[in-house]
Amino acid sequence: MKRGRPTKRYKVQTKIIECLEEFNTPASVNAITRFVREKLRENISWNTVKKYLEELVEMGKVEALSTPHSKKEGEEGLTIYALKK
């Protein structure tokens, strides 16, 4: 059993998963960041949330979905994240 205070990585990753469960739809990094900031009552950076989201994608808990670019054909647009089923 681990002792002491939970790491920031653990706290943020659990809030990210909680966010995606609550939304039931894919969400952008910006929306997830706002949710995590509100729940933890801490100023969490957008880059930190993105880094932990990418770690969750590598672990297979979350999937990244790319949308097509709205103005440039053949290019990727916004990346949204959803829980892996």
Side-chain angles (χ1 to χ4, degrees):
M1 174 183 274
K2 291 186 179 181
R3 299 174 138 196
R5 184 184 340 172
T7 62
K8 182 164 266 193
R9 171 176 275 116
Y10 176 78
K11 290 192 311 185
V12 173
Q13 284 182 348
T14 55
K15 291 300 176 189
I16 288 171
I17 291 173
E18 182 182 315
C19 169
L20 293 173
E21 286 174 346
E22 190 173 308
F23 285 169
N24 288 329
T25 58
S28 67
V29 177
N30 195 25
I32 295 169
T33 302
R34 278 188 269 127
F35 180 88
V36 171
R37 282 180 184 164
E38 182 180 306
K39 292 294 181 179
L40 291 178
R41 298 182 195 270
E42 292 180 27
N43 191 16
I44 304 294
S45 168
W46 182 90
N47 288 326
T48 303
V49 172
K50 181 155 176 56
K51 177 175 70 172
Y52 292 149
L53 269 169
E54 290 172 358
E55 287 180 6
L56 288 169
V57 169
E58 289 176 9
M59 288 192 293
K61 294 182 179 182
V62 174
E63 62 181 328
L65 309 167
S66 293
T67 58
H69 198 284
S70 62
K71 296 179 182 172
K72 299 177 185 175
E73 289 189 34
E75 290 190 27
E76 291 185 5
L78 182 66
T79 302
I80 51 178
Y81 297 89
L83 282 179
K84 206 160 200 176
K85 295 178 181 177

